[in-house]
Amino acid sequence: MAAEPPPSLSYRTTGSTCLHPLSELLGIPLDQVNFVTCQLFALFAAFWFRSYLSPGKTSPDVRHAFATIFGIYFVIFCFGWYSVHLFVLVLMCYGIMVTASASNIHRYSFFVAMGYLTICHISRIYIFHYGILTTDFSGPLMIVTQKITTLAFQVHDGLGRKAEDLSTEQRRLAVKAKPSFLEYVSYLLNFMSVIAGPCNNFKEYIAFIEGRHIHMKLLEVNWKEKGFHSLPEPSPTTFPVTCLVDDWFVHKANFLTRLCYLYVVMQASKPKYYFAWTLADAVNNAAGFGFSGVDKNGNFCWDLLSNLNIWKIETATSFKMYLENWNIQTATWLKRVCYERVPWYPTVLTFILSALWHGVYPGYYFTFLTGILVTLAARTVRNNYRHYFLSSKALKVFYDIVTWAVTQLAVSYTVAPFVMLAVEPTISLYKQNDVSAFPAAVPGCNSVFTGAEKPQKLGQVSCLVTSPFLPPVLQAAVREPSWMAHQARPLHKNFCRLLLSTAENPPLPF
């Protein structure tokens, strides 16, 4: 019997091992090699799909079948028997789609899909014990969950609600008939988005398969009346995050060095998302499914399924601007299935759903709790101080530079627990990077944490969070328990007032 290959980081994968020699040659983990190979193959398949299986040359059923078979193969190649989780969830939810009434289909589908995803997230903690693979089965499962819930709500809108009760967007995307099994599995498991997403709408996907997608988008902007008569054509970790909480680094490096290293670490973690989402966008555009219409200058746009805007992310001068251009399709999904539909506390529930969808690692919840406060803080500062810097171009440039730097550092600090995952390194990071001087330096921010009266000359804001950092409160709770007991009542009161104040003007979640 042949000896088993020695266990190593590059050999760890739940999918195919046929590319292991290439993984060893390149020094790249095998799961990442499998992922990139599938996405590159999907890119070439998308060109072939568009050229040789175009709607004018073959039937929608053939296009559905090809997209589904290739998608299933890619999932099995990358994730092996763990791909069974996707197929089980798809079959269960199709059973709900067929049997449930239109008035309840969205509820059953949402709780089953999110429940199954949560169970899988919990199991990953025990299977991988925080040492998760870069590309494990939960990624496609999260994408499929988005699609299942999106379709269920759109079927509910089309069959279970009156047209006058729907918003303009809900009316446009409403599905008037339940999909066939082939349409359902094709939408969920097609090769263009099953590995890396993004989520898209069922009605637009069916229009794409049937060859109506581009015409439908052009009709939305009356393209012929604007003089357009032709159809468009498409167009390894060097800085370990664990170093942030290592004793030798914490004690030898000063605060500024630690803060700069934190920024560098977070920057180093972003290229993998940039690569995966940009490649996924390219796959959909190559197949012809990225066309979104015509802009105000008459240019054809291919950003229907774009998941990020790198330039706007890297030049963001506010937390809101950063979030609006990161994981765009997930933010859209959260808005459509949660924020626009829940009758109470939409912002809080949307953040909770976003955290639950990402997984059950404690670091996720530290990030999203901090994210709520950072968003509110950034909005408060902007509303109360920005107008002082608009009197001259020089002041405006100075303001933009400062807010860019603060935004990038605030995002790095907020997202660090998301990367660390566990509680202990997160608390250690909070304790070692003491920024408690920030709240005292800016008027009004202490009112959130101490229950003080609102600051003078800021009349319209009763509770300010002007420091983008939550950790000082956590540090105080750890170092001085009696202080926390004394402050618990006003902290709870003011924090709830802050959350309720976001009902009319919500921040976008991650």
Side-chain angles (χ1 to χ4, degrees):
M1 181 180 296
E4 295 184 357
S8 65
L9 179 63
S10 62
Y11 198 76
R12 291 176 59 206
T13 182
T14 57
S16 172
T17 59
C18 67
L19 296 179
H20 179 240
L22 179 61
S23 171
E24 290 290 326
L25 178 65
L26 298 176
I28 300 175
L30 182 55
D31 63 300
Q32 297 179 27
V33 172
N34 286 349
F35 171 83
V36 174
T37 300
C38 280
Q39 286 297 86
L40 290 177
F41 192 80
L43 182 60
F44 289 108
F47 282 111
W48 189 88
F49 183 73
R50 181 174 184 171
S51 299
Y52 296 98
L53 290 181
S54 62
K57 296 179 180 179
T58 189
S59 68
D61 287 346
V62 173
R63 284 168 61 84
H64 278 305
F66 178 89
T68 304
I69 292 172
F70 266 64
I72 291 174
Y73 175 77
F74 288 164
V75 169
I76 295 174
F77 183 87
C78 283
F79 310 107
W81 71 269
Y82 280 102
S83 58
V84 170
H85 287 293
L86 271 79
F87 307 144
V88 168
L89 180 59
V90 168
L91 292 176
M92 285 195 305
C93 289
Y94 184 71
I96 294 174
M97 178 67 64
V98 172
T99 59
S101 64
S103 59
N104 292 313
I105 192 171
H106 60 304
R107 296 190 182 95
Y108 298 154
S109 296
F110 180 87
F111 285 113
V112 168
M114 284 301 302
Y116 194 89
L117 176 64
T118 302
I119 291 172
C120 288
H121 278 319
I122 294 173
S123 71
R124 287 169 63 228
I125 295 181
Y126 295 99
I127 293 173
F128 298 111
H129 191 61
Y130 289 96
I132 61 174
L133 301 174
T134 303
T135 54
D136 71 308
F137 72 96
S138 66
L141 195 64
M142 292 162 71
I143 298 299
V144 166
T145 298
Q146 285 187 342
K147 290 185 176 182
I148 287 171
T149 53
T150 296
L151 176 56
F153 274 99
Q154 290 171 352
V155 170
H156 170 66
D157 290 340
L159 299 178
R161 299 176 66 188
K162 296 179 180 179
E164 55 267 26
D165 295 334
L166 303 177
S167 67
T168 302
E169 183 181 45
Q170 289 171 349
R171 194 178 303 114
R172 178 177 67 86
L173 298 174
V175 177
K176 301 294 185 180
K178 291 184 177 181
S180 67
F181 179 72
L182 181 59
E183 290 174 335
Y184 192 79
V185 295
S186 174
Y187 170 65
L188 298 179
L189 301 176
N190 68 83
F191 74 93
M192 296 173 290
S193 59
V194 68
I195 299 296
C199 178
N200 49 66
N201 298 298
F202 179 78
K203 198 170 183 178
E204 292 175 338
Y205 178 74
I206 294 300
F208 158 70
I209 289 293
E210 295 177 354
R212 299 180 286 105
H213 169 67
I214 291 179
H215 286 87
M216 182 177 70
K217 289 295 178 182
L218 292 175
L219 287 175
E220 291 177 2
V221 295
N222 297 318
W223 69 297
K224 287 188 176 180
E225 293 181 9
K226 295 183 178 181
F228 303 108
H229 299 284
S230 60
L231 296 181
E233 292 296 330
S235 47
T237 307
T238 306
F239 304 95
V241 67
T242 53
C243 184
L244 289 166
V245 293
D246 284 347
D247 289 338
W248 67 268
F249 182 74
V250 169
H251 291 103
K252 290 185 178 180
N254 57 38
F255 173 75
L256 184 60
T257 301
R258 296 198 302 270
L259 197 61
C260 291
Y261 186 80
L262 172 64
Y263 173 73
V264 171
V265 168
M266 294 301 105
Q267 286 295 103
S269 69
K270 289 193 288 187
K272 61 184 179 183
Y273 296 103
Y274 289 173
F275 175 80
W277 287 339
T278 301
L279 187 56
D281 191 18
V283 171
N284 284 281
N285 284 350
F289 188 30
F291 183 67
S292 59
V294 182
D295 65 16
K296 60 182 180 181
N297 297 321
N299 299 314
F300 293 122
C301 298
W302 287 87
D303 58 358
L304 178 68
L305 301 177
S306 294
N307 219 14
L308 79 169
N309 186 317
I310 297 175
W311 174 255
K312 290 185 178 180
I313 288 171
E314 296 300 337
T315 59
T317 57
S318 69
F319 204 73
K320 179 176 181 293
M321 180 179 175
Y322 194 104
L323 298 185
E324 285 178 344
N325 292 283
W326 175 271
N327 208 355
I328 297 170
Q329 301 304 326
T330 293
T332 301
W333 169 71
L334 289 167
K335 183 186 74 171
R336 288 173 178 166
V337 305
C338 184
Y339 180 77
E340 292 181 341
R341 298 177 185 272
V342 295
W344 306 287
Y345 313 123
T347 299
V348 179
L349 292 177
T350 302
F351 268 99
I352 292 173
L353 173 59
S354 181
L356 189 64
W357 176 78
H358 277 90
V360 294
Y361 289 110
Y364 295 167
Y365 296 85
F366 278 102
T367 288
F368 286 101
L369 175 61
T370 308
I372 296 175
L373 296 179
V374 172
T375 304
L376 297 174
R379 181 190 305 156
T380 300
V381 171
R382 181 180 178 87
N383 290 342
N384 290 281
Y385 294 105
R386 184 173 181 269
H387 60 276
Y388 293 120
F389 296 88
L390 300 180
S391 57
S392 71
K393 186 175 181 179
L395 282 175
K396 179 62 168 59
V397 171
F398 172 77
Y399 175 84
D400 288 341
I401 293 174
V402 171
T403 53
W404 170 83
V406 172
T407 296
Q408 298 300 321
L409 291 176
V411 169
S412 298
Y413 203 94
T414 302
V415 175
F418 195 96
V419 178
M420 292 180 171
L421 299 178
V423 175
E424 291 183 1
T426 298
I427 296 298
S428 178
L429 174 70
Y430 284 168
K431 291 173 66 177
Q432 300 302 334
N433 292 278
D434 190 342
V435 290
S436 55
F438 280 91
V442 183
C445 66
N446 288 325
S447 64
V448 177
F449 303 121
T450 64
E453 296 297 325
K454 65 184 180 181
Q456 296 180 355
K457 298 181 181 181
L458 296 177
Q460 76 274 27
V461 181
S462 60
C463 296
L464 295 181
V465 187
T466 51
S467 169
F469 303 102
L470 177 64
V473 181
L474 299 179
Q475 294 174 32
V478 173
R479 297 170 181 169
E480 300 289 342
S482 60
W483 179 91
M484 190 61 186
H486 177 69
Q487 299 295 340
R489 184 173 297 176
L491 172 62
H492 175 268
K493 177 182 177 182
N494 285 282
F495 182 58
C496 289
R497 286 163 66 191
L498 274 167
L499 296 182
L500 292 174
S501 71
T502 65
E504 296 298 324
N505 186 21
L508 288 175
F510 289 88

